[in-house]
């Protein structure tokens, strides 16, 4: 009997999920749902390898978070066991509210509600199921915990979300030069006055990260074909909405029907 | 103006599709359909990275075929331009008849018809659209061309189909030790008495390939969780068929309804 | 101020060497000497990339040892802090007695003394310099510590030495199919009745490891060109010895002169 | 009987050297000598993996040159068979004059003669041995051939020399984020008015290349420890020179003695 489950990740290798609240999240249907949502909506029209899911991304961001916490601890930053687990739980759930083709949906079906709000709603629901074991995670996610650098690890210019998705999107799209040095960047992290900072000698790694990010936007995220495919989808959905309002019956799943 | 299109593949890098009949196949909706069919039905229940599609696999197998032909030609095996294009076209289309969860479908909805027969039907259809430019490809696919080693490159113990899928399934599942030396094996191929053979010094590469294949069956293809997931799906579909026969109206797409 | 040094390894990424006796070993000139000794004597005649050194290999084996210890601990095998450091120190030093072209030397200059004996002599010397901090490491290395599985981690059919060198030699030679699944094998290790064992479900990984090892012997370690190059060198050295005995003065370094 | 030899490169995989003048160069002792000269003089003091040689680099640059020529040809740039072979021969030999610790030597032993001049001298010598088969290669190397873009492929801001060494130094040092997209850059090359140019859509790849290059300078080429090691060596050699001039007999090889 081990105290963890292992997930095999083509990007980072074996990732251990410790038993307890973290494994409870990963095993929950609301989380597993992410395994049917692609990370990069329409980009696979151009990059056939870009089939990876938000499930994989969330697991990868969790993995980097564990590394970051351990690095900060070895540099003398005090992070309690409870805080560590909470910030790991929070990064696991940071995308839990994403729907298929997220940005498409935000512009059509769920207009007025963005995926961050949905994520938070699902976290609150899970927290009830889990008897409050996610309370600290949610506080950190909402930046209501007094130690703000923990929130910055989840959401900032250098959060574990971005470090994972740039690396992962580069890996699966085959745009190899978008590969950022996530291990090096994490190794250079520190905390000063409750803010996440980067050691001086990390400056070129950061510049490289910024240029790689721009390259990924140029080559992948904003590629005209992928963007065009999303626009076609948006228009199709809006047209469906119009028709539905006029009383036309459309062949679609009950879940989609609900939104039309 | 170049004479080819490039597809970026995380496994093999840039793959060039020459203009002409090969690019016509890749650009056809019947081929692009494969980009929505996962290579490994239920394996992504266990290996979250295994989201890769039959589209990617078909492109990769084509890439290895080009390499194999060039290798054989440099060893003095005569292969005409027409034969080369035909065998490349045939490997591109070898999986074109696959449906979602292929083996599941074969046991439920399309019982009596396997995916190879569907592939052949679609090839014939495309051949009409393409004014007979696929005739030689289809002959080679059916092993009706007098040079049988060309068929063996598509379908045999060491065909380009297997060389690609073992490598690719290893890559995306993260089961790295399933990595076979496809470049080395291709480099050792030769033709003797119209049969595909392997040079003597390739014997250990072949043994390694066989063991890797077994390892992939054990760890990935026959993993209990993935197999179980497929059985659940088979039972669900058979139950749906029963209910449909009893007149129960089921909420599903018109395409699925057709088969029930 | 951190509590460790980082070494950047192309095979395993960042490897942390904790301050204390482990870093003292790595920083010692007797250890650094290994950075001028190639892991694969004459194999770079055939595989130009095989320039990697026993320094890199020793660091890599240390890295795998840390992983193995942590894995065993999470499975409930008790390993004290002192034992963990000792076994890590022992694997770091396991090759410290190697000379250039080790097997060549053993057959010519240092006949009668093999490299294991030299390693042990250097360890004893370092132990004096380090005020006895290596005593337990040496006991484990000599299998005189009552817990024999610790010795097996250093020297057995599945020791960390082999797991590193197969992986590393595959990486640097470019013989990619020699790549063993070291992470998976380590993850399957356990201890039963003071013996290192492998979990049942690891059987195919072990078979794959054995076949990969044989492939590496065939393709790399026993490649005729590399073996021939070593024989030429042995004959040249023996001839030099003969001439030196006859009083001929040979142009060579004082260190070599000493052995002639 | 094949018409080429294969070299297994950990960076680019199998590289084919066609029989004829190209293989004659690679098999020549003056070229093989490069297999004992490290690409990165003192950098392996910091990055233990950086043991790769100028032999490997020269083979890799040749490989990229073949790709670049083929790409330009498919874009309609006319390059004759003779020109292709000549420019491939020239890139193979571009570093043939390097001595150990090249820049160290240039500042001490061979002062007044840089390695480019030595390379040219060796090329002229080989050309005699090869009955003038290198004449066009040497003309291109010296930029005396009327088609200047061929020279630019060997020596310019985007030559195959740099594309190989940045990629290779990144690979072997383990500084993974120095990885440039050499395949993509080569794919974007074109020729306009006899000058090597980059297609417009390649701009971000070029920017990424420039930033990666700077990162490699910062992290690897100008790392203080490696630079310091070279200075120690320069001072040691200059001191040896002084002593030799004063008549002190120094224990060193005849080759070194010649220069003192």
């Amino acid at each position: 009997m081990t105290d963890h489950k292992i997930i095999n990740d083509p990007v980072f290798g074996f990732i251990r999920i410790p038993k307890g609240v973290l494994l409870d999240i990963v095993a929950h249907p609301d989380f597993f749902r992410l395994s049917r949502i692609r990370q990069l909506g329409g980009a696979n029209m151009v990059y056939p390898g870009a089939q990876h899911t938000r499930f994989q991304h969330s697991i990868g961001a969790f993995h980097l978070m564990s590394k970051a916490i351990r690095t900060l601890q070895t540099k003398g930053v005090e992070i309690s066991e409870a805080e560590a687990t909470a910030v790991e739980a929070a990064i696991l759930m940071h995308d839990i509210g994403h729907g298929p083709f997220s940005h498409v949906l935000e512009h059509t079906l769920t207009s007025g509600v963005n995926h961050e709000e949905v994520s938070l709603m699902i976290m609150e629901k899970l927290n009830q199921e889990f008897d409050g074991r996610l309370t600290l995670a949610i506080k950190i996610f909402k930046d209501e915990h007094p130690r703000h650098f923990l929130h910055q690890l989840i959401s900032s210019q250098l959060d574990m979300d971005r470090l994972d998705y740039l690396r992962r999107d580069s890996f699966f799209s085959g745009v190899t030069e978008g590969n950022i040095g996530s291990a090096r960047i994490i190794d250079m992290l520190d905390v000063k006055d409750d803010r996440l900072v980067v050691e001086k000698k990390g400056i070129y790694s950061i510049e490289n990260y910024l240029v790689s990010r721009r390259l990924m936007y140029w080559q992948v995220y904003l590629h005209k074909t992928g963007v065009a495919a999303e626009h076609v989808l948006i228009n199709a959905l809006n047209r469906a909405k119009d028709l539905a309002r006029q009383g036309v019956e459309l062949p679609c799943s009950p879940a989609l029907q609900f939104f039309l």
Side-chain angles (χ1 to χ4, degrees), chain A:
Chain A
M1 275 299 292
T2 63
D3 59 349
H4 60 271
K5 284 265 178 190
I6 282 180
I7 290 180
N8 202 338
D9 178 42
V11 178
F12 294 125
F14 285 1
I15 297 179
R16 287 155 189 263
I17 317 285
K19 287 188 181 169
V21 70
L22 295 169
L23 189 55
D24 292 345
I25 294 168
V26 172
H28 196 282
D30 285 359
F31 186 80
F32 198 72
R33 187 183 67 90
L34 296 176
S35 71
R36 286 191 300 276
I37 297 179
R38 275 202 295 265
Q39 179 73 16
L40 296 175
N44 73 312
M45 302 290 289
V46 185
Y47 297 100
Q51 302 287 346
H52 53 299
T53 66
R54 293 206 177 265
F55 180 91
Q56 293 169 261
H57 160 57
S58 301
I59 298 289
F62 156 78
H63 172 73
L64 295 181
M65 185 63 87
S66 311
K67 297 263 179 199
I69 288 167
R70 197 177 149 219
T71 297
L72 293 176
Q73 284 173 331
T74 68
K75 292 187 184 181
V77 179
E78 271 182 50
I79 301 172
S80 72
E81 199 64 33
E83 283 174 329
T85 301
V87 75
E88 286 170 354
I91 195 80
L92 263 180
M93 297 183 296
H94 79 284
D95 268 355
I96 206 166
H98 263 286
F101 304 99
S102 338
H103 306 291
V104 170
L105 289 199
E106 289 173 9
H107 289 98
T108 52
L109 303 183
T110 68
S111 40
V113 189
N114 64 37
H115 70 85
E116 285 90 355
E117 292 169 79
V118 183
S119 288
L120 201 53
M121 282 165 56
I122 297 180
M123 286 185 210
E124 305 278 12
K125 182 197 136 202
L126 287 183
N127 195 26
Q128 286 197 322
E129 288 184 36
F130 290 1
D131 300 320
R133 284 182 292 154
L134 297 177
T135 303
L136 182 53
I138 292 172
K139 276 180 83 171
I140 292 173
F141 186 80
K142 293 161 80 172
D143 204 8
E144 293 174 356
H145 185 62
R147 307 191 71 197
H148 300 291
F149 75 91
L150 293 172
H151 176 77
Q152 288 185 309
L153 285 167
I154 298 167
S155 178
S156 67
Q157 283 297 317
L158 265 176
D159 58 36
M160 298 306 116
D161 176 16
R162 285 170 207 213
L163 288 194
D164 181 79
Y165 78 64
L166 285 170
R167 180 96 171 70
R168 191 169 297 276
D169 297 345
S170 160
F171 181 90
F172 284 103
S173 64
V175 180
T176 50
E177 71 266 48
N179 184 3
I180 57 165
S182 54
R184 193 178 304 269
I185 290 173
I186 286 176
D187 211 68
M188 304 255 170
L189 292 181
D190 206 340
V191 172
K192 182 123 193 162
D193 300 336
D194 196 25
R195 289 166 55 94
L196 206 57
V197 297
V198 177
E199 284 181 37
K200 206 166 97 187
K201 64 180 176 173
I203 184 165
Y204 280 88
S205 293
I206 298 301
E207 186 173 7
N208 185 264
Y209 158 81
L210 293 173
V211 173
S212 296
R213 188 165 79 177
R214 195 161 45 160
L215 183 135
M216 287 300 289
Y217 270 92
W218 187 255
Q219 302 237 19
V220 181
Y221 306 141
L222 301 180
H223 190 287
K224 63 183 187 304
T225 309
V227 170
E230 293 198 353
H231 273 281
V232 170
L233 186 56
I234 287 174
N235 286 336
L237 283 170
N238 282 334
R239 173 76 173 137
K241 250 177 148 167
D242 282 354
L243 291 172
R245 262 189 229 115
Q246 294 165 28
V248 179
E249 199 174 324
L250 296 165
C252 71
S253 71
L256 181 51
Q257 209 117 44
F258 174 82
F259 281 104
L260 292 179

